[in-house]
């Protein structure tokens, strides 16, 4: 008999969404996905704040605009209760800038997806798994429309460095970036290190340069023309 010991753990996801039909659709989708299980459904910020045990779940899936509060504030409160909790925020508009309100030391494990542009099942599942692993995820469709601010540090990077950084902002690993661009993982690592240097990100045990680079990307880009 063969025993498999390397199966990924099942992720427990809490869904906080004030629209009943959309909340149920999310829960049904997640429960039907291998490796995911819905550990609770909540219709409001107050209900989640009072009834959600942050230490009993791996990811909180939050609507940004709840009827009685702000999903970002709720996410930060839940993270205070469980610092390893992944938080994925959903919004009906381009509000990625709200993630800049998250302190740098808390930015890992936060993600943002648009309900209108990127909320496909694969994108949602990928983002949930990414934030559970502590990676920062930005909506790829909205991210692709963002333009680099003039005279920003990003403008000093090469086109390839910005391309690699944009894929990091999508939550991709170095191996996934290498496969998508047709280059080696070592080349990806080299481009990232050059981008970190160009952005003035110093190696430090207190800072994650990958997360810092994503924050820099968000801070120095603006929505492109629609």
């Amino acid at each position: 008999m063969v025993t498999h010991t390397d199966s990924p753990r099942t992720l427990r996801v809490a869904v906080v969404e004030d629209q009943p039909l959309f909340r149920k659709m999310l829960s049904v989708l997640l429960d039907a996905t291998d490796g995911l299980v819905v550990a609770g459904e909540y219709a409001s910020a107050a209900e989640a704040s009072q009834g959600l045990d942050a230490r009993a779940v791996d990811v909180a899936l939050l609507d940004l605009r709840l009827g009685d509060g702000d999903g970002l504030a709720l996410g930060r409160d839940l993270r205070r209760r469980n610092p390893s909790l992944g938080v994925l925020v959903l919004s009906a508009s381009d509000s990625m800038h709200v993630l800049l309100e998250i302190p740098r030391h808390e930015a890992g494990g936060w993600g943002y997806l648009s309900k209108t542009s990127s909320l496909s099942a694969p994108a949602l599942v990928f983002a949930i798994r990414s934030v559970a692993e502590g990676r920062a995820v930005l909506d790829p469709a909205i991210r692709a429309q963002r333009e680099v601010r003039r005279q920003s540090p990003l403008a000093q990077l090469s086109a390839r460095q910005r391309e690699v950084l944009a894929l990091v902002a999508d939550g991709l690993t170095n191996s996934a970036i290498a496969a998508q661009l047709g280059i080696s993982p070592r080349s990806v690592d080299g481009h990232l290190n050059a981008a970190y240097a160009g952005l003035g990100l110093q190696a430090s045990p207190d800072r994650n340069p990958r997360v810092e680079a994503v924050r820099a990307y968000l801070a120095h880009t603006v929505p492109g023309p629609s």
Side-chain angles (χ1 to χ4, degrees):
M1 182 177 68
V2 177
T3 301
H4 296 283
T5 60
D6 57 352
S7 298
R9 66 190 176 100
T10 296
L11 298 177
R12 302 158 299 176
V13 183
V15 178
V16 185
E17 165 62 53
D18 58 1
Q19 297 181 16
L21 179 59
F22 190 61
R23 181 173 66 251
K24 182 54 65 177
M25 290 172 63
L26 288 172
S27 296
V28 170
L29 169 64
L30 299 181
D31 269 334
T33 302
D34 289 342
L36 300 180
V37 62
V38 174
E41 297 179 28
Y42 304 89
S44 67
E47 187 177 318
S49 181
Q50 295 171 11
L52 199 168
D53 181 356
R55 295 191 175 276
V57 296
D58 302 294
V59 174
L61 182 61
L62 312 176
D63 186 10
L64 178 61
R65 305 300 179 198
L66 295 164
D68 65 340
D70 183 287
L72 189 70
L74 174 61
R76 293 190 64 186
D77 178 55
L78 296 174
R79 279 288 289 266
R80 280 191 286 269
R81 306 183 203 177
N82 178 9
S84 65
L85 179 71
V87 180
L88 180 59
V89 178
L90 303 181
S91 175
S93 61
D94 180 358
S95 303
M96 286 199 298
H97 63 278
V98 300
L99 295 185
L100 289 174
E101 299 176 20
I102 304 299
R104 293 179 184 275
H105 67 281
E106 298 177 12
W110 279 86
Y112 174 95
L113 283 182
S114 166
K115 291 181 178 180
T116 56
S117 64
S118 290
L119 200 56
S120 66
L124 178 62
V125 172
F126 175 81
I128 286 173
R129 289 176 173 157
S130 295
V131 297
E133 294 172 1
R135 300 203 298 271
V137 179
L138 300 182
D139 185 285
I142 294 178
R143 191 274 305 157
Q145 298 171 6
R146 297 180 74 85
E147 298 179 346
V148 175
R149 295 180 186 273
R150 292 181 180 180
Q151 299 181 339
S152 83
L154 293 176
Q156 302 176 32
L157 305 183
S158 71
R160 179 63 96 182
Q161 289 164 8
R162 289 197 299 270
E163 186 175 24
V164 169
L165 186 57
L167 291 173
V168 169
D170 287 350
L172 272 64
T173 63
N174 284 14
S175 296
I177 293 172
Q180 181 160 328
L181 297 182
I183 60 179
S184 71
R186 177 179 288 236
S187 293
V188 173
D189 193 54
H191 289 308
L192 275 178
N193 286 331
Y196 296 158
L199 293 171
L201 303 178
Q202 303 294 327
S204 166
D206 300 322
R207 292 284 186 268
N208 183 327
R210 199 176 186 90
V211 173
E212 294 282 287
V214 170
R215 288 178 60 86
Y217 184 91
L218 187 56
H220 295 290
T221 57
V222 294
S226 58

